[in-house]
Amino acid sequence: MTSLAFIFLLALLPAQSTSRRYLPKAASNPVFGPREVYGLLKGSVTVKCFYPPTSVNRHDRKYWCKESTTGCTTIVSTSGYTSPGFQGRVSLIDYPLAKYFQINMTELTETDEGTYQCGVGINGRGLSHKVILDVSEGPHVPEGAELFYVKLHSTLTVSCSFGKDYESERKYLCKLDKGGCRTVVDTYQKYGEDYYGRVILSNTEPAGSFSVAITQMGWEDSGLYVCGAGVFGERGVSKELDVHVYEETKVPQGKTTIFGVKGSSVTFECHYEPLRMSSVKYWCKWRENGCAKIIDNAGFVSPMYEGRVAMYDNPQNNTYTIILNQLKDSDKGYYWCMTDKENEQQSSTELKIIEGQPGLEGKKEVEAQVGSRVDLTCSYPCKYYSYQKYWCKWTNTGCMPMPASDQRQTGMDVSCDTDNKTVILNFDSVAKTDQGWYWCGVKRNSLFGETMAVYLEVTGGSTADSGLDLLDIAEPPSHAEPPSHAEDNFIPQGRSYSGAAASKSSDESHGPNKLVLILTPIGAVLLILVAVFAVFKYRQLKRSDLVSVGSYRTNISMSDFESVKEYSASNNACVKETQETQIGGDEFIATEATPESAAETKKAKRSSKEDADLAYSAFLLTSTSIAQGGPGEDSAAPDACPPNWEGQI
Amino acid sequence: AFLTDCGIAYPVLAGYPQNSGDDEHVLVNNKCQCVTVTSRFVPSKDNPDEEILERNIRILVPLKARENISDPMSPLRTTFVYRMTELCRKCDPVEIELGGEIHQAQQSNFCDEPETCYTYDRDKCYTTTFPFLYHGEIRKVPAVLTPASCYAD
C-alpha cells in the first residue's frame, strides 16, 4: 500500500527536478576509464583509470584484474602482487596527484582478450571500471575515445583539431544519446537546450582547430560526445570524447546562480589557478555571438558599465571578486570569468534579477558648487550593523577607499537603533577633480557585500564665499583654548576685542593672513597683561607691610567669601567661562557675548562706594593667595578668576 | 558495476549493466547500512503505454559484521534493522535560495540521532585498542581498523 502511495506521489514529480537533484546510476561510479581498448598482437596497450582524489582513494590499493566465472582475479596491484602468467609484461603505476593510475600491458596474445576491471580497494566491491580488451592482427587499430575526468560544477575544456582542410567547415560538438547526436554548440551559433549560457566555442590556432568550454558540469553531462567538422553522420571528420563527472567533496563549490535585487548590487567570485598569475583576467557577459568583455584587470571597463563594476584581486585565495551595482532587469544572463590563456579554468555564473528593497539607501545623484561643503550620505539597515562600512571613489582600475565617518555610536550596545545608521563622506571644499562616481559599501571579513553608487557632479562657482566659510569654521578651534589661560579672564573685554579683530580681519582678507591677524591682537593683549602684572606686583610689595594678612583674614568668613563672588562680576563671568565654553559651533558665539555684558554690569556695580570697598577686600584676598604662590591646582575658580580691578583701569 | 563499496560486505557479483540506457536515478546511497535505492520509469504491466515509477532497493547484509563495528571483540551481529525513514533521511546541508540570498539548510529532522552502522564508511577512520603484551606488561595499544582511511593528508 505504501509503495503504491509512494509511486503515486513520485509520479507527480517532474522529470526535470529529478535530474537536477539525483545523480543517474550510470554516473554514480566514481572510477572511470576507457570502455574498450584495442591492441595489436605482440603489441602493447595503456589503460588510464581515473578516481576522485580523496585521501582514502589516494592511499588505497589499486588493482587490475581479469573477469572470470569465479570473480575478478588480480593480475597486478599496488600491494606488490603480479600474477604469474603476467610476470614482466604488465605494470601498474599510480599517480595520485593526477587522479589516475596507469596499467601497461605488453606482448599481447589472443588469450589476453576479454573483460578486465581497473579499480580501487578490494576486488569485486564495485569501485571499479570495466574495460574490454580487443587484440587484433592489425595493421590498423581503432582509436579509442579521448577521456575527460571533470569535477562536478567545474569547467570542461575540449580542443579538437582537424587540419587546414577543414578551416571553413562547420565545427560542432554534440552529445551521443539514444536518438543520435544532439548538438551542444556549433559555429553557426546553435546551442543545445541545456547548454544555453554555459558553453562557448572559439576558433584557435592552427587553422581548423577549435576549443569548447562547458561550465557548470552536472551529473547529466557525463557521457559520450563527438567533436567534428562537417555534419555528424553525413560528412566530415569527427573525434569521440568520453566525459565523466565526479564529486570530490559534499561541500558545494561556487554558486551556479546568483540572485540580485533590482537597484542593488551583486558580488561574483572567480577562482583561478595559482600558477597562472600573470595572465590577463577578464569578466564578460555571455552572448550568442561571443562573450562581451565588461571589465579586466588591466584597467579596461566597458563604457556602458562605467561606475557600475569593479574588480578586486585576492591572491591569497586565488580568487578575484567582481561587484556589479545599479542592477537592472537587462542585467540578467550568464557571466563568465575568463583569462586570455586558453587552457585555464573558466567559470560561469547565472545572474537572475528579482524584485526587492536594496539594503543601502541614499541620494544617487548629488550636484554641488565648486568649493562648497558636500556630504554624501548612505544609510544602512540593521542587518549590516556588524559589517565594516566604507566609501570609495570609483576609477577604471578599482574603487579607491576614502576616509568616512560612521554616525553610529560606537560602544557596547547590543541593540540596533533605527536612526543614526548612516555613513557620511564629506568634502570640506569640493573641487572639480572630485567629480565622479562614489561607492558606499559593506564588507565582512574581507568579503565584499552590497554597494551603492552615487554620482557627484561639481559645477563651477565663486571663490570669495568659500574663503569666508573656511575662516568661520576655523575660528572656534583657535578660540577654544583661551579660557584656560589667565589672560582672557583678566580682560574679558580684551578677548571680545580680539574676537572682533579676528572677524574684521576675516572680512578683509582670507587665507594665510588670518593667522597673523588673529595673533597680533593677542600679542598686544599679552604685553599689556605683563605690564599690568608688573605694576601690580610693585604696588603689592609697597603695601605689604601696611596690611596684616592674618588679622584681616580672621574677619572674613566663608559666607563673605560667597558674597564676594556675587559682587565680583568677573568671578561670575569666569565661572560661566569654564562651564559653557565649547569647541566649535554656534555656541561659542553665544559665550563671547556674556563677558561683554558682564563687563558692563561690573561697571554698573562700581557706582556705590560700599560695593567698591567690598570689591577691594575681595581683591586683597585673592592677591594674597597669588603672593603665596597661588594654589592653582586646587581651585580653578579663584585662580582663573583674578581680581576685577582691570575693569577699573 | 554499481557502487557497493560498503566496508565488510560480502563480495557480490554486480548484475547491473554499465550503460543501461535507462534514466535510473539514485535516491539513497547509505554507506552506513549499505543500502541503495534507485528509481526509474518503466512501462506499466497493465497498460504498456503508461509509465510508472519503479524503485529498486538493494540491501547488502554484512553477515560477518560485529555488533560494534569499532570493536572487533564484540559478538557477531545477528539482527539487522532497516527503516525507510532512516534511510531516506537527508542530513547533508543543501543550498536553497530565500529572498535573494543563498542559505544552507538541512532537509530532514532527527539528524542528531546516533545511527548504528553495520559497515564501515570509507571516508571515516575507525580505530580500536587492543591488549598488547610487551615486556611482561599488558598495554592498550591503539590500532587502525581501516588503514586507507586514516591518513592525515
Side-chain angles (χ1 to χ4, degrees):
Chain A
M1 276 308 291
T2 47
S3 58
L4 257 167
F6 272 128
I7 288 162
F8 186 67
L9 277 167
L10 287 165
L12 296 170
L13 278 170
Q16 176 81 207
S17 66
T18 48
S19 64
R20 291 242 180 261
R21 295 280 199 89
Y22 303 102
L23 63 142
K25 201 173 85 171
S28 63
N29 188 356
V31 180
F32 174 63
R35 292 161 200 248
E36 211 166 326
V37 283
Y38 307 91
L40 289 167
L41 271 172
K42 298 252 184 4
S44 66
V45 279
T46 306
V47 176
K48 255 191 187 172
C49 222
F50 293 89
Y51 57 89
T54 57
S55 169
V56 58
N57 286 344
R58 281 185 279 117
H59 291 107
D60 212 348
R61 166 183 177 262
K62 318 291 187 304
Y63 62 88
W64 173 248
C65 65
K66 190 167 182 201
E67 275 188 8
S68 65
T69 44
T70 48
C72 198
T73 47
T74 314
I75 295 170
V76 62
S77 79
T78 50
S79 338
Y81 172 79
T82 309
S83 170
F86 292 85
Q87 290 275 3
R89 58 184 192 105
V90 72
S91 70
L92 192 153
I93 307 167
D94 190 11
Y95 302 96
L97 296 172
K99 305 182 285 228
Y100 73 90
F101 60 97
Q102 193 166 287
I103 300 118
N104 204 15
M105 274 177 59
T106 58
E107 315 229 0
L108 293 168
T109 62
E110 269 188 24
T111 49
D112 290 332
E113 262 193 16
T115 312
Y116 292 75
Q117 280 185 24
C118 67
V120 179
I122 300 172
N123 296 26
R125 290 286 173 87
L127 261 181
S128 59
H129 179 85
K130 274 198 187 39
V131 183
I132 298 167
L133 175 62
D134 217 38
V135 182
S136 61
E137 280 184 12
H140 289 292
V141 167
E143 193 191 327
E146 192 179 339
L147 301 178
F148 292 91
Y149 197 57
V150 278
K151 198 158 132 175
L152 185 68
H153 302 313
S154 74
T155 306
L156 167 72
T157 313
V158 169
S159 4
C160 302
S161 67
F162 299 106
K164 231 166 37 163
D165 304 329
Y166 298 95
E167 196 176 348
S168 51
E169 270 272 23
R170 164 191 178 250
K171 318 279 189 320
Y172 65 91
L173 177 77
C174 64
K175 186 163 194 268
L176 282 172
D177 66 5
K178 287 173 273 198
C181 196
R182 275 191 300 163
T183 312
V184 172
V185 64
D186 71 8
T187 42
Y188 298 158
Q189 289 164 24
K190 180 161 183 275
Y191 296 98
E193 224 181 85
D194 297 324
Y195 299 94
Y196 192 83
R198 62 183 186 109
V199 63
I200 286 182
L201 186 151
S202 37
N203 287 307
T204 56
E205 296 292 316
S209 316
F210 65 98
S211 86
V212 178
I214 307 176
T215 59
Q216 301 297 343
M217 289 294 282
W219 296 117
E220 295 291 329
D221 295 321
S222 291
L224 281 166
Y225 289 76
V226 173
C227 78
V231 178
F232 178 75
E234 288 172 33
R235 63 163 207 276
V237 288
S238 63
K239 192 170 88 168
E240 228 181 55
L241 314 160
D242 201 350
V243 177
H244 193 86
V245 176
Y246 74 91
E247 188 181 23
E248 192 175 335
T249 51
K250 286 284 179 195
V251 177
Q253 310 276 325
K255 297 196 175 89
T256 52
T257 311
I258 287 182
F259 294 90
V261 175
K262 199 153 88 173
S264 178
S265 76
V266 279
T267 311
F268 293 85
E269 266 188 31
C270 296
H271 299 259
Y272 56 85
E273 294 294 305
L275 296 164
R276 311 269 185 265
M277 275 176 67
S278 53
S279 61
V280 173
K281 303 173 193 79
Y282 64 95
W283 192 64
C284 60
K285 189 171 180 193
W286 188 91
R287 296 202 194 284
E288 290 199 3
N289 55 356
C291 198
K293 195 150 105 162
I294 296 173
I295 184 171
D296 72 17
N297 65 347
F300 166 80
V301 174
S302 164
M304 288 200 303
Y305 288 87
E306 192 159 310
R308 294 185 60 192
V309 64
M311 190 191 261
Y312 294 93
D313 198 356
N314 189 351
Q316 290 107 349
N317 300 354
N318 293 320
T319 57
Y320 57 100
T321 311
I322 312 264
I323 302 180
L324 178 70
N325 59 27
Q326 298 165 65
L327 291 174
K328 311 185 271 269
D329 277 327
S330 57
D331 286 324
K332 72 166 199 272
Y334 298 86
Y335 292 84
W336 284 55
C337 307
M338 312 260 277
T339 58
D340 57 353
K341 288 213 176 69
E342 283 158 33
N343 294 336
E344 293 194 35
Q345 274 293 326
Q346 297 164 354
S347 58
S348 77
T349 319
E350 189 187 353
L351 174 65
K352 285 193 178 151
I353 305 291
I354 57 171
E355 296 288 328
Q357 180 77 311
L360 299 173
E361 288 179 344
K363 228 171 134 188
K364 303 284 193 316
E365 278 166 15
V366 174
E367 211 180 289
Q369 297 273 342
V370 168
S372 62
R373 194 199 156 102
V374 177
D375 276 342
L376 299 178
T377 53
C378 169
S379 1
Y380 56 89
C382 280
K383 71 178 177 192
Y384 292 136
Y385 187 73
S386 57
Y387 287 50
Q388 270 177 296
K389 293 115 196 138
Y390 64 91
W391 268 101
C392 62
K393 187 177 195 319
W394 186 89
T395 63
N396 271 23
T397 49
C399 201
M400 308 298 152
M402 299 199 75
S405 67
D406 187 349
Q407 292 296 87
R408 179 175 60 87
Q409 302 276 14
T410 51
M412 309 286 270
D413 35 358
V414 182
S415 64
C416 178
D417 239 342
T418 44
D419 9 277
N420 273 355
K421 288 193 323 293
T422 53
V423 194
I424 299 177
L425 175 68
N426 73 35
F427 298 87
D428 280 332
S429 162
V430 72
K432 201 78 180 144
T433 50
D434 290 326
Q435 178 163 307
W437 288 98
Y438 289 84
W439 284 14
C440 155
V442 294
K443 225 167 108 159
R444 184 163 63 163
N445 301 335
S446 80
L447 280 172
F448 288 94
E450 199 178 325
T451 61
M452 181 190 81
V454 177
Y455 189 73
L456 173 66
E457 189 166 338
V458 180
T459 52
S462 62
T463 49
D465 297 313
S466 65
L468 196 67
D469 291 332
L470 266 170
L471 282 169
D472 279 345
I473 293 161
E475 271 185 38
S478 62
H479 281 279
E481 301 159 47
S484 57
H485 296 317
E487 305 86 310
D488 272 352
N489 300 305
F490 273 102
I491 349 167
Q493 212 178 23
R495 209 180 83 262
S496 60
Y497 160 74
S498 64
S503 55
K504 273 189 195 146
S505 60
S506 72
D507 284 349
E508 288 163 1
S509 59
H510 54 91
N513 292 334
K514 63 171 169 83
L515 258 170
V516 177
L517 286 160
I518 288 166
L519 283 169
T520 333
I522 289 174
V525 162
L526 270 166
L527 274 168
I528 293 164
L529 287 171
V530 165
V532 157
F533 188 70
V535 168
F536 156 64
K537 261 292 191 186
Y538 176 68
R539 286 170 72 182
Q540 188 211 11
L541 277 165
K542 282 215 169 172
R543 292 235 190 149
S544 55
D545 22 298
L546 290 174
V547 178
S548 164
V549 174
S551 60
Y552 193 81
R553 265 223 199 106
T554 50
N555 290 336
I556 292 171
S557 64
M558 282 313 293
S559 56
D560 286 354
F561 193 77
E562 288 304 312
S563 59
V564 156
K565 271 193 181 166
E566 284 165 27
Y567 286 113
S568 164
S570 73
N571 273 347
N572 280 346
C574 127
V575 164
K576 275 202 182 100
E577 298 303 319
T578 50
Q579 280 172 1
E580 284 172 69
T581 307
Q582 281 159 42
I583 295 168
D586 302 326
E587 292 158 58
F588 184 75
I589 300 162
T591 51
E592 260 191 39
T594 46
E596 290 174 44
S597 57
E600 284 162 15
T601 51
K602 268 187 310 190
K603 281 188 185 144
K605 286 199 174 179
R606 277 315 98 71
S607 52
S608 75
K609 193 174 180 286
E610 286 153 20
D611 289 345
D613 282 345
L614 277 161
Y616 186 69
S617 61
F619 150 66
L620 284 172
L621 188 78
T622 48
S623 69
T624 51
S625 64
I626 288 165
Q628 282 161 25
E633 302 83 60
D634 298 336
S635 46
D639 212 33
C641 297
N644 58 356
W645 53 271
E646 299 303 332
Q648 290 172 347
I649 294 168
Chain B
F2 191 52
L3 196 69
T4 55
D5 59 337
C6 309
I8 26 176
Y10 260 9
V12 172
L13 287 172
Y16 294 94
Q18 189 162 18
N19 300 316
S20 51
D22 292 310
D23 274 329
E24 191 160 1
H25 293 273
V26 175
L27 299 177
V28 170
N29 186 1
N30 190 314
K31 298 196 175 145
C32 173
Q33 297 194 323
C34 215
V35 175
T36 50
V37 180
T38 59
S39 71
R40 62 178 181 166
F41 283 101
V42 288
S44 159
K45 286 197 182 74
D46 306 322
N47 184 359
D49 292 330
E50 216 179 281
E51 278 202 338
I52 56 164
L53 191 79
E54 178 191 83
R55 294 223 294 190
N56 292 314
I57 304 168
R58 187 158 182 252
I59 303 174
L60 273 155
V61 183
L63 294 174
K64 285 192 174 171
R66 301 276 159 180
E67 280 201 3
N68 179 2
I69 57 172
S70 292
D71 180 12
M73 305 307 284
S74 58
L76 278 174
R77 180 176 278 278
T78 51
T79 315
F80 297 87
V81 180
Y82 300 94
R83 291 200 178 88
M84 276 308 278
T85 50
E86 282 171 25
L87 295 168
C88 291
R89 207 169 271 160
K90 287 184 208 295
C91 286
D92 296 326
V94 142
E95 284 195 345
I96 51 163
E97 183 254 326
L98 277 176
E101 273 178 26
I102 307 281
H103 296 272
Q104 290 216 328
Q106 198 180 66
Q107 287 180 268
S108 299
N109 292 334
F110 310 112
C111 280
D112 294 330
E113 274 177 17
E115 42 173 3
T116 45
C117 288
Y118 304 148
T119 70
Y120 294 128
D121 182 349
R122 223 161 154 266
D123 295 314
K124 288 195 192 145
C125 177
Y126 295 87
T127 59
T128 185
T129 60
F130 69 96
F132 184 69
L133 185 65
Y134 180 69
H135 287 160
E137 198 186 317
I138 293 181
R139 287 191 199 179
K140 283 264 174 201
V141 174
V144 155
L145 296 166
T146 54
S149 316
C150 298
Y151 283 83
D153 63 338

